[in-house]
Structure formats: C-alpha cells, structure tokens
Amino acid sequence: MDLSAALWCPLGLLLTLALNPALGAHTHRDYCVLGAGPAGLQVAAFLHHAGRDYEMFERAPAPGSFFTRYPRHRKLISINKRYTGKNNVEFNLRHDWNSLLSHDPRLLFRHYSGAYFPDAGDMVRYLRDFADRLGLHVQYNTNIVHVTLEKDRRAWNGHYFILTDQKGQMYQCSVLLVATGLSVPNQVDFPGSEYAEGYESVSVDPEDFVGQNVLILGRGNSAFETAENILGVTNFIHMLSRSRVRLSWATHYVGDLRAINNGLLDTYQLKSLDGLLESDLRDLAIVKDAEGKFHITLGFFLEMTNASQSATSIPLPQDDNDNFAMRVAYDRVIRCLGWKFDFSIFNQSLRLSSGSEFSKKYPLIKASYESKGSRGLFILGTASHSVDYRKSAGGFIHGFRYTVRAVHRLLEHRHHGIPWPCTRHPITQLTNSIVQRVNEASGLYQMFGVLADVILLKENASAFEYLEEFPMQMLAQLETLTGRTAKHGLFVINMEYGKNFSGPDKDVFFHHRSVGHTEDAWQSNFLHPVIYYYRHLPTEQEVRFRPAHWPLPRPTAIHHIVEDFLTDWTAPVGHILPLRRFLENCLDTDLRSFYAESCFLFALTRQKLPPFCQQGYLQMKGLVYTESLRQHGVESGLLRDYATVGQALKDSSRQPGDHQPMDHPLATGHLIQSLDSNKEEL
C-alpha cells in the first residue's frame, strides 16, 4: 500500500495522529476548494472578490495540472475566436470558450494565443497567470486523500467537512466545493482488455505506428484525436464502439465529435482502408498470438474452450464466417473510452454515488449543483456535467464559468444574507432589457436550457427586477435561493434550439431549415430566445412533472423570437414589435414610448395613461427641447411644425417680459425620449 492509501484508511489515520498529535488540530476555513483547475480557480476568484474565508487545495505544484498532460496531442478543441467585429465584452465571451470571468481585462485568453484551436500549454500559462494576478489562496503540493463528515450543530449546514492531506494534516470546512474534474480513465473489463494501451499512456509519436494495423476502442474526441495523429503512417485504423458516431454539428453538443478531429470519417467513407464498427465491447475478447499480434474474437468462444489452450487453438469468428469484418490481426489496440469522477477519497457517508452506471461517472447532484447526499457540498466544473449532459455546455469552460457563478450567488445568499444580484427598472424598460440580454449575454447563449434570466414583476406591473442566469430547474425554489419575491408574476428568458433539430440521426442541413416569418417563430430550428410568462411561481411538482422535452412547466403564455441567421435579434418589425406586443398582452398594458404631444392628448382623453406617460411625462421627465431635435421630428413627420404655424400668434400676444420655460413638460416641442421611431408609435 502506498503512503496516500495508508494515510486515509482508518488505521493509517489513527497511527499517523498517534505519532504526531499536532496533526489532530483542524485548520478551519469557511470554504474549501478541491482542485486548482479552471472551475476551482473560477470559484476562488468569486470568493476572493467577495472577501470570503477560503482555501484552495491542489496536489500539483501549479494550477491547471490536467492541461500539462491532456489532451495528449496538445491541441484544444475549445474555440478561441479573437475577432467578432464588436467591442462588447459580454458578446465577445459568447465566442471565447477559454477565458474565465474576472474584472481584469488582461485575463482574457485572446492575449495568450492567436490560434483558433489553442495549444494546451497556452491554457497552462493562462491559468497560472489567473491565479497569480488575482492573488488567489492556493495550497500547492497538497493532496487531499480523504474527506468525511463531522456532525456539529454550530456548523452552517449541521456538519463540517474534514479533509486530510497526504501528510495527515486536517482541515475543517463549512462548505466544500469540489472541482477535481473527471480524472479516472474509463475501462471495460472483458477477456484480453489488459492488452489495450490507454489513451493516458500510449505513445504520441507517429513514428511508433509506421506500417501498423491499429484498433482503437472508443468513439469520442480522444479516440478520433488519437486516430488523427497517426492517420498518415498506419496501414489502417479500425475504430470500435457500441454506439454510432455522434457529430457535434448535428447534436449541437460540443462534447460530441468535433470536425477538427474527424479525418477518419473521410478516409472511411472515401474507401481508404480505415473504418468504423459497432459492437458492445463486453461481448468481445482479445487474443494475443505467438507473434504478438492481437485477434478479435467473441467472449462466448473463450467460454467454450479450455483456459489452458494456446491462442492458436481458440476459435475465431472467421472460422465460421470468412467474411468477418475484424478477421485481420492488429499490431496495437488503444483504449480511448473517456473519464469518470474519482470517488475514492470521499467517505461513503457523503453519499456521492448511488451505484448506478451514470452515477459511477458523475456524482449525484441537484440542479443547484449541490450534492443530493450532503448539504453544503457542491460539485463544480466538468464533474457537474450530469445536470446538462449531452444537452448544454456545463462540462466545458465556456459553460461552467457561469454555473460556478450561479453557485457562488446561491452561497452568498444562504450564508451571508446577500440576495441574488438584480437590477430594478420601470416597466417601460422591459422590452429593451430583454432585447439587450438576448443579443449580448454569454451565459444565456452558452448554457441554453440550463441557465435563464428571470424577470420578477412588481405590484401593478409598474416596475420589475431583472435576475441573470438562474438555474432553470430550481425555479420553484427561486424565492428561497435568491432572497427575492415573485408575488406578482414573472417572465423567464431562455435560449432554445428547435425540438426536432438536434440529434445524431437528424439532417441539420435539410432544405427550408430556416424560419424567417414571425408567425412561424415557434417552429424556429436554430438557437433563439424563448420567453415564458407565469402569473405565479411554478411549484416543485409542476417543475418535476412538466411536459416531456419541455425545460419548464407549461406557462400562462409563451413567445418565441424568430431565429436569426446573424443571431442579432434587433429587427424592429421582425423581432422587437412581436416581443413588445406579447409583453403587453401578458401585462394588459401599453409599453410603447410616446412624444409629449401624445401624452398630453392621452391625459385629456383617457382614464389610464400608458406607463411611459405616467413615469415620464407626468413626472416631468423627458428629453429637453432643442432646435435640432424639433427639426428632426418635423422632417420625419413625427411632429407638426408648431414653431412655424404659431409664430405670428406668439409674437402678437406676447407681453414684455413674458417667457415660456422650454424645459417644462408641456412646452411645445418638448419630447419624451422615444424608443420606437414610427409615427404610429410601434
């Protein structure tokens, strides 16, 4: 048994503490972060900025240790798009898949690499600078080997988390934030599986594969990355997996096969010896012959033979079927089956796994990223991807930087009484606020179907609070988790693909795939904004038993903003007008903007004024008259030319010393700022 294993077993811990009683003293921290990878650094940055008591533990001597070795062939598949034609930082983050969130503009990944698909070494350098420049509290060379619970009524969550490192030092934490990623290679146990070389250790030098027949087990990006590296030097490459290949451009899931790695698909379909096969690995067996070559057979053939028989006497499928696809011998077999979470350091009392197949890969967590088994234990980063697996980007930097921020906001309210951040606006700004967010926000764009903006209406729909990027599946608990109230109705803004547009069997390039007419917006296929309106906050039962394939319970009303080829939802007629009318129908009010002339007429003819006139005109708020503004209004037909028509009357009736204050709201030509520049006041 190695030192680490000896230390964290109960007997080892007792022995260590007996030999050195000083190690029994706990160092307390309010927040402990495991792992100094991207997710760990991100949550540490938020904690640091908030002035919280925290410590981050990293077993390596520097942050980002995963990227010092992986991906093995050093090219990341996360996009580094440096140019978008826009200067809006939030918008540009939509297309920057590597940067973490901070207030330091120097800590944008675009300053570290000019490559569209960067080298992993650039990520290592970036993460080190991120930790150093922000002054994050990191304990390097500290390997946490055991985590358990200690009940205590005084603790925030009714217990403390006790962490033990490789030296036996113990740390007591009120909240544990686990950001260790997926680090254990997946393996399938079948006869002969020991002959397979692992992705984590196989040679990356193409010269080692010259003139060889290679079999790769797996069908993800690591498998195709490995194939891409040796494609030009091997005799052929066969790739075997139980599932069909899933292309990311068809599934809209960035974890599926990316185009940068799919050269083998070309050589397979263009008849160049390479090929893809489907079979459950557990049904197969690998037999090694006297020359060191590997043969594929079926597991039940081995069961029929005597274990002492030589390899040459073991039946092979081609003995019965001389057209068996894998009848050729292989020089190398490479296992590329992905990764899973390392549960070994966590005591069973934490209940991180249920034992099911899926929970062997990912810990059991809620939609709030908190463990289902232990309050106060949160899973962050790649290991939290069970919440949106194969649906959104929560397993990747450009997604989990926002889910980490959501967790931090939950913790700020739970333990420090700070409500979820929001901005408050008059109801007249409702349309503008939604339009701005759907056109700029990166968190909505990348974590579609997972994080949503929530608009909480105030009494009489006179104002609203705007909350950004709240976990949608926790909507029923919004008031408890955020410290905000939802007594007067709410809107939820989400980004969605069309319900039948994503999938490995879908033809996403079909004819007439785009929707351009506003009346057909609900049939939009590509990513587009969807607004849900609820008169009351949905209950937990409604969220749980929502209609199949719906991200939220059935709303009072729903509105799709029609998809846009440029992802620019600012067209006055195609995007903004239908949205504004939907909001007006939900609120039974008029959200248009008016000139003072119209507000004045409304005041004389209507019992209830539009909110814009109530909050602007009647409050003596508006845009002060200028000659150029008046002239613009006249030339565009939005105003009558009162200056010319009434000039003679004014001159004849004015007494010496009389004057009219032009900044008074009733002054002729005084304008309330208009958002809809149309005479009919769209």
Side-chain angles (χ1 to χ4, degrees):
M1 181 182 295
D2 62 20
L3 177 60
S4 296
L7 282 174
W8 68 260
C9 70
L11 181 60
L13 283 174
L14 290 173
L15 179 60
T16 302
L17 294 175
L19 295 175
N20 190 351
L23 293 179
H26 297 170
T27 300
H28 178 81
R29 290 288 182 268
D30 288 344
Y31 297 93
C32 290
V33 183
L34 292 189
L41 294 175
Q42 184 66 88
V43 73
F46 291 131
L47 293 170
H48 193 85
H49 184 73
R52 302 304 173 203
D53 175 41
Y54 77 95
E55 194 73 39
M56 182 160 42
F57 301 96
E58 170 57 47
R59 61 185 176 185
S65 60
F66 180 86
F67 293 98
T68 62
R69 184 168 179 81
Y70 303 106
R72 293 296 313 283
H73 304 91
R74 311 310 292 149
K75 181 177 287 189
L76 300 175
I77 56 174
S78 47
I79 291 173
N80 178 38
K81 190 172 180 62
R82 301 170 67 208
Y83 304 103
T84 64
K86 298 188 178 183
N87 295 321
N88 185 288
V89 175
E90 181 71 10
F91 175 85
N92 288 340
L93 279 172
R94 288 184 169 188
H95 310 286
D96 172 356
W97 291 12
N98 300 284
S99 294
L100 298 177
L101 304 177
S102 79
H103 298 285
D104 189 340
R106 297 173 298 173
L107 292 173
L108 291 173
F109 194 83
R110 65 190 309 272
H111 302 308
Y112 288 79
S113 174
Y116 193 67
F117 293 108
D119 186 87
D122 295 327
M123 177 60 74
V124 174
R125 186 163 52 91
Y126 171 76
L127 296 177
R128 290 179 179 177
D129 279 2
F130 190 90
D132 293 343
R133 288 184 176 175
L134 297 182
L136 304 182
H137 305 161
V138 191
Q139 257 187 239
Y140 295 113
N141 299 306
T142 303
N143 187 20
I144 299 300
V145 296
H146 190 233
V147 181
T148 190
L149 286 177
E150 182 181 86
K151 299 289 185 180
D152 193 318
R153 293 182 179 179
R154 297 168 298 176
W156 286 351
N157 298 294
H159 52 251
Y160 291 111
F161 297 96
I162 306 301
L163 281 56
T164 307
D165 67 16
Q166 77 275 24
K167 298 178 182 178
Q169 176 65 49
M170 291 183 168
Y171 307 88
Q172 183 189 72
C173 316
S174 298
V175 174
L176 180 59
L177 302 161
V178 179
T180 53
L182 305 179
S183 58
V184 179
N186 276 322
Q187 299 194 41
V188 177
D189 186 19
F190 60 88
S193 60
E194 67 274 13
Y195 297 129
E197 304 172 76
Y199 169 79
E200 66 278 5
S201 58
V202 70
S203 171
V204 295
D205 184 358
E207 292 298 316
D208 293 340
F209 297 87
V210 172
Q212 293 187 351
N213 305 340
V214 178
L215 174 64
I216 296 178
L217 308 180
R219 192 152 297 174
N221 278 294
S222 61
F224 277 90
E225 167 203 334
T226 301
E228 195 77 14
N229 183 54
I230 60 177
L231 201 58
V233 298
T234 55
N235 295 334
F236 57 80
I237 300 173
H238 290 168
M239 192 174 287
L240 180 65
S241 177
R242 66 179 178 181
S243 60
R244 294 174 55 191
V245 65
R246 299 171 62 96
L247 301 167
S248 61
W249 47 259
T251 62
H252 301 117
Y253 172 61
V254 298
D256 284 333
L257 177 59
R258 303 289 299 286
I260 188 176
N261 286 328
N262 68 11
L264 186 71
L265 298 183
D266 267 10
T267 56
Y268 171 40
Q269 290 296 322
L270 298 178
K271 311 179 299 298
S272 192
L273 299 181
D274 305 311
L276 276 66
L277 297 155
E278 288 80 37
S279 177
D280 192 328
L281 299 182
R282 291 169 296 188
D283 295 334
L284 302 180
I286 299 177
V287 177
K288 186 177 182 180
D289 66 21
E291 298 178 358
K293 303 283 187 179
F294 301 107
H295 301 266
I296 304 301
T297 187
L298 300 177
F300 73 84
F301 282 177
L302 292 185
E303 297 172 1
M304 297 166 50
T305 61
N306 190 321
S308 62
Q309 286 182 301
S310 65
T312 55
S313 62
I314 294 176
L316 297 176
Q318 54 264 37
D319 296 339
D320 295 325
N321 179 7
D322 60 6
N323 194 35
F324 177 58
M326 303 180 70
R327 59 187 180 274
V328 68
Y330 296 96
D331 298 290
R332 309 281 282 269
V333 180
I334 305 173
R335 168 181 42 79
C336 302
L337 300 175
W339 310 87
K340 60 184 178 182
F341 185 75
D342 184 2
F343 292 92
S344 65
I345 68 172
F346 298 95
N347 189 279
Q348 290 186 356
S349 61
L350 297 172
R351 294 181 293 171
L352 278 179
S353 174
S354 67
S356 67
E357 280 301 314
F358 193 69
S359 71
K360 289 179 181 178
K361 181 178 178 68
Y362 293 108
L364 286 172
I365 58 175
K366 306 174 186 176
S368 61
Y369 303 94
E370 188 170 20
S371 167
K372 290 184 177 181
S374 300
R375 180 177 169 85
L377 192 162
F378 290 83
I379 306 296
L380 308 177
T382 304
S384 69
H385 196 26
S386 59
V387 171
D388 64 305
Y389 184 62
R390 293 199 182 281
K391 297 177 182 177
S392 197
F396 312 90
I397 292 176
H398 61 292
F400 66 61
R401 61 191 177 195
Y402 301 107
T403 61
V404 168
R405 182 163 65 183
V407 169
H408 177 251
R409 288 170 172 171
L410 295 174
L411 292 171
E412 284 290 289
H413 174 59
R414 178 187 289 185
H415 298 304
H416 308 289
I418 299 176
W420 191 284
C422 76
T423 53
R424 187 181 177 103
H425 306 274
I427 200 66
T428 54
Q429 295 299 311
L430 181 59
T431 306
N432 274 4
S433 297
I434 294 175
V435 169
Q436 181 178 8
R437 284 287 294 172
V438 300
N439 280 286
E440 296 179 359
S442 177
L444 277 182
Y445 193 80
Q446 296 297 358
M447 288 306 298
F448 57 89
V450 179
L451 299 181
D453 285 1
V454 180
I455 294 173
L456 303 177
L457 299 169
K458 299 292 102 177
E459 190 173 5
N460 299 322
S462 60
F464 64 91
E465 292 178 341
Y466 201 111
L467 284 64
E468 298 177 0
E469 297 158 16
F470 182 80
M472 292 174 63
Q473 298 310 309
M474 303 302 293
L475 187 61
Q477 302 176 39
L478 180 139
E479 293 183 325
T480 303
L481 297 175
T482 66
R484 306 290 178 183
T485 58
K487 296 181 179 179
H488 307 288
L490 65 153
F491 291 97
V492 180
I493 296 91
N494 182 37
M495 302 290 282
E496 299 178 13
Y497 281 98
K499 290 181 169 40
N500 296 311
F501 191 55
S502 302
D505 299 320
K506 303 293 184 182
D507 176 13
V508 295
F509 300 112
F510 66 90
H511 197 48
H512 299 309
R513 62 185 174 274
S514 63
V515 174
H517 299 292
T518 56
E519 60 267 26
D520 299 322
W522 63 278
Q523 293 180 309
S524 293
N525 287 311
F526 205 66
L527 193 68
H528 63 285
V530 183
I531 296 89
Y532 296 76
Y533 171 62
Y534 297 93
R535 290 195 179 96
H536 307 285
L537 193 66
T539 65
E540 289 193 41
Q541 186 174 17
E542 289 172 336
V543 173
R544 182 177 179 184
F545 297 104
R546 62 190 183 275
H549 308 299
W550 280 57
L552 288 170
R554 193 176 299 277
T556 304
I558 189 171
H559 176 70
H560 291 253
I561 300 180
V562 68
E563 65 180 74
D564 187 79
F565 182 71
L566 303 176
T567 60
D568 178 9
W569 292 279
T570 57
V573 176
H575 300 135
I576 298 176
L577 176 58
L579 170 63
R580 199 209 71 216
R581 287 178 172 168
F582 166 76
L583 300 174
E584 289 175 336
N585 288 334
C586 292
L587 303 178
D588 190 25
T589 191
D590 190 334
L591 295 177
R592 292 179 293 176
S593 302
F594 297 93
Y595 283 94
E597 177 187 18
S598 299
C599 288
F600 177 68
L601 293 175
F602 291 156
L604 297 176
T605 59
R606 294 187 181 183
Q607 292 184 347
K608 180 182 178 181
L609 292 183
F612 191 87
C613 294
Q614 292 179 28
Q615 299 172 4
Y617 179 77
L618 294 185
Q619 300 298 321
M620 300 177 63
K621 297 176 181 178
L623 189 62
V624 176
Y625 168 88
T626 66
E627 178 58 29
S628 62
L629 187 58
R630 185 197 66 80
Q631 186 64 29
H632 174 73
V634 171
E635 292 175 354
S636 62
L638 295 172
L639 285 178
R640 294 179 61 187
D641 193 354
Y642 292 108
T644 301
V645 174
Q647 186 63 44
L649 293 174
K650 293 179 182 178
D651 290 342
S652 63
S653 62
R654 183 174 296 166
Q655 300 297 319
D658 286 353
H659 66 277
Q660 184 177 7
M662 296 307 294
D663 59 347
H664 191 278
L666 297 182
T668 302
H670 184 277
L671 300 174
I672 298 295
Q673 185 176 6
S674 175
L675 303 180
D676 298 310
S677 56
N678 186 293
K679 188 173 182 178
E680 295 180 1
E681 293 163 332
L682 295 174

